Amino acid sequence: MTHPTSFQHPFYIDGEWTTFAGAPRSPVFNPSLGEVLGELPLGGAAEVDSAVRAAHAAFPAWADTPAVERARVMFKYRTLIEQHFDEIARLICREHGKTYAEARGDLFRGYEVVELACAAPTLLTGELLPNIARGIDGELARHPLGVCAGITPFNFPAMIPLWMFPLALVCGNTFVLKPSERVPLTAIRLTQLLAEAGLPKGVFNLVHGGRDAVDALLKHPLVKAVSFVGSTPVARHVYTTGTAHGKRVQANGGAKNYVVVMPDADIGKTVEGIMNAAFGCAGERCMAGASMLTVGDRGGKLLPELVKAAQALTVGRTDVEKQPGMGAVITAAHRDRVRSLVDEGERAGARVVADGRSVKVTDAPNGFYLGATIVEDVRTEMKLAQEEVFGPVLNVLHMSDLDQAIALANQSSFGNGAAIFTRSGAAAREFKHRVSAGMIGINVGVPAPMSMFPFSGWNESFFGDLHMQGRAGVMFYTQPKVTTSRWFIDGEGDIWRK
């Protein structure tokens, strides 16, 4: 098979790489340099329809393929990802701006879901209870839904698509992926390897596009389920539109995650954890620790160390061999938005104690860079405290006690993650029971679960019932069928007669 070159043939439909004449184009940047890598053709309703119909036609044969054979495709896919791991990680660096270590982490967390999918025969086992009544047996089996769709964001080009399609496919569904148009290279490469693993034509399809493509997937009558990750306003739109058109939907939205630092927290370990939580992936992740709540006098001891570490964090190009501590953000417009939120907070009285707004990278003057920024004396009414910044900015608020910290965290409309740094088991237990978030870290700054557990955001961080990953993911991509059976023996009387 001929692989697509750059963006010449970026659509994968019914086992063929193709493009569409006259399609509008969107620039794809290298954020490290601020330069255009190429122009990506964007599809709309017609292209989505072609992909969905190919997936629909492939569904009956794939659904009838034994689970062990579907799992074997995932075993081959796992091996291919291993063999091309460095190459894919460097693609992520190039089109996203993550550091090489972060890109490897992005891919590895998705790779873990592929490993989970290899266990399809075990994940898909049903239930049987003989003699639910005299001579009658009850049985539950899980069946695939049909055509499933995935709509993914720019911030994790490998991990988030891999949250979706490996489990959907091993459950017997067919799939249409629409990745972010800002990071198409990783999705294209993952698709090439999936085809190389032996997946039959039509079972997996790749389309690119903007809102028109999203809405076409949400409204298409042959699409049975939609998985989405992105901002809360778009997640709400995906959920309401998809469910209004009869689809099963799981939609992960944005977040404003709080990290509580207790008076007994270990300073060194806490600084390390918060640096990763706040500034890892340049803050462009829904599990970022965006607000630090210090309890008691810990802020006075911790903050100077944190400021020192933030000021020492190097920023630079990630598309080269020598790696910085942090890379660029995704676009110039996003960089400017993050800057404006810090500017607005400062005008309203917040103090910028580590300022990365004017960071310069000498060998990449046009790159989309921000340095690590820490803002103290943030008040809850500020946009900086309320909105998801999605950049390398840490808010600092000082609390009198744990009760006040939990109350403040619970005022947020979001509910993705929350973390506490402490040596006190009593404080940790109180926090994890009372804080309103679906993923909790105890001395863990980024409490994103591994593949066997669900990614379980709450409140306006998630719309739907069944989360991604783990058994929840398998349940989302399957539907139960219950059979009640009775068999008669010749000459047998009434089975109810005692």
Side-chain angles (χ1 to χ4, degrees):
M1 181 185 72
T2 301
H3 296 323
T5 302
S6 184
F7 306 120
Q8 275 191 320
H9 302 289
F11 294 79
Y12 186 69
I13 297 176
D14 202 20
E16 299 293 333
W17 290 100
T18 186
T19 192
F20 295 92
R25 292 175 176 265
S26 176
V28 177
F29 287 91
N30 174 348
S32 288
L33 296 175
E35 295 178 354
V36 175
L37 289 170
E39 291 190 326
L40 177 73
L42 300 181
E47 291 77 18
V48 165
D49 182 65
S50 296
V52 171
R53 291 190 181 280
H56 180 69
F59 172 68
W62 182 244
D64 282 343
T65 300
V68 289
E69 293 184 23
R70 299 197 297 257
R72 285 182 192 128
V73 174
M74 285 300 131
F75 274 107
K76 292 177 184 176
Y77 191 46
R78 173 186 177 276
T79 299
L80 288 167
I81 290 175
E82 276 186 346
Q83 291 171 352
H84 296 273
F85 206 95
D86 177 75
E87 170 203 341
I88 299 168
R90 294 193 185 279
L91 273 181
I92 295 170
C93 293
R94 186 178 177 212
E95 68 175 350
H96 179 277
K98 287 182 192 286
T99 67
Y100 180 66
E102 290 166 347
R104 286 182 62 86
D106 178 344
L107 180 56
F108 190 77
R109 295 308 294 267
Y111 170 86
E112 289 175 337
V113 182
V114 177
E115 290 187 318
L116 180 69
C118 291
T122 299
L123 296 172
L124 293 171
T125 52
E127 302 170 13
L128 173 66
L129 180 61
N131 287 323
I132 57 171
R134 293 179 183 272
I136 300 179
D137 300 330
E139 172 191 335
L140 181 148
R142 305 208 67 86
H143 289 254
L145 305 174
V147 179
C148 298
I151 302 164
T152 61
F154 73 84
N155 60 322
F156 284 89
M159 181 185 77
I160 294 178
L162 291 170
W163 274 358
M164 300 175 184
F165 67 79
L167 284 181
L169 294 175
V170 297
C171 288
N173 302 286
T174 53
F175 204 86
V176 178
L177 174 65
K178 194 220 79 71
S180 169
E181 60 273 23
R182 296 176 185 170
V183 288
L185 286 171
T186 304
I188 289 171
R189 194 68 185 112
L190 290 174
T191 301
Q192 291 171 347
L193 296 180
L194 191 57
E196 194 175 331
L199 199 69
K201 60 184 292 188
V203 172
F204 180 89
N205 303 269
L206 176 69
V207 296
H208 303 279
R211 179 161 183 161
D212 289 347
V214 170
D215 285 343
L217 286 168
L218 296 176
K219 297 174 183 179
H220 201 292
L222 296 179
V223 174
K224 301 301 181 184
V226 177
S227 301
F228 171 84
V229 177
S231 69
T232 287
V234 182
R236 186 184 290 109
H237 169 75
V238 167
Y239 180 75
T240 55
T241 306
T243 53
H245 287 81
K247 304 185 192 324
R248 184 178 288 192
V249 179
Q250 51 180 196
N252 282 299
K256 193 73 176 180
N257 304 315
Y258 289 86
V259 180
V260 174
V261 181
M262 296 299 290
D264 62 348
D266 179 283
I267 295 289
K269 295 295 185 184
T270 302
V271 168
E272 181 183 330
I274 291 176
M275 286 293 295
N276 178 40
F279 307 124
C281 300
E284 294 177 317
R285 56 185 178 191
C286 63
M287 290 300 288
S291 292
M292 181 178 77
L293 310 181
T294 66
V295 175
D297 65 351
R298 213 45 166 178
K301 299 175 182 177
L302 176 70
L303 193 55
E305 297 300 316
L306 199 57
V307 168
K308 192 185 303 181
Q311 291 172 337
L313 186 64
T314 58
V315 179
R317 293 177 61 178
T318 62
D319 60 343
V320 291
E321 197 63 34
K322 186 179 179 181
Q323 292 287 298
M326 186 169 71
V329 297
I330 190 68
T331 63
H334 183 56
R335 176 199 60 202
D336 295 344
R337 174 188 170 272
V338 175
R339 277 180 182 163
S340 71
L341 286 170
V342 177
D343 293 344
E344 185 175 334
E346 188 175 36
R347 287 193 298 270
R351 291 192 310 116
V352 180
V353 294
D355 195 344
R357 287 173 289 182
S358 58
V359 68
K360 302 294 183 186
V361 177
T362 55
D363 61 339
N366 298 318
F368 309 140
Y369 294 104
L370 285 168
T373 299
I374 301 175
V375 186
E376 195 180 12
D377 298 333
V378 175
R379 297 194 306 276
T380 55
E381 68 271 16
M382 294 177 179
K383 279 187 179 180
L384 203 55
Q386 294 178 355
E387 294 187 10
E388 183 179 32
V389 176
F390 223 61
V393 178
L394 175 68
N395 298 331
V396 180
L397 299 90
H398 301 298
M399 305 285 107
S400 59
D401 54 32
L402 179 59
D403 286 341
Q404 186 186 19
I406 292 173
L408 178 58
N410 287 351
Q411 287 177 10
S412 173
S413 61
F414 300 111
N416 233 22
I420 186 169
F421 283 85
T422 183
R423 289 188 174 98
S424 168
R429 187 178 188 277
E430 187 80 1
F431 180 80
K432 78 173 184 179
H433 279 278
R434 288 174 52 197
V435 76
S436 182
M439 292 168 280
I440 307 301
I442 298 173
N443 298 314
V444 174
V446 184
M450 293 186 68
S451 62
M452 64 286 294
F453 291 101
F455 192 87
S456 53
W458 284 12
N459 308 328
E460 292 202 351
S461 291
F462 179 74
F463 299 86
D465 297 302
L466 293 167
H467 293 273
M468 298 178 191
Q469 295 194 147
R471 287 200 170 272
V474 173
M475 291 177 68
F476 178 80
Y477 288 121
T478 58
Q479 54 192 341
K481 179 181 286 188
V482 177
T483 301
T484 304
S485 58
R486 178 175 69 180
W487 297 98
F488 297 104
I489 300 172
D490 288 344
E492 185 181 32
D494 186 347
I495 63 167
W496 301 108
R497 187 178 300 155
K498 295 183 179 178

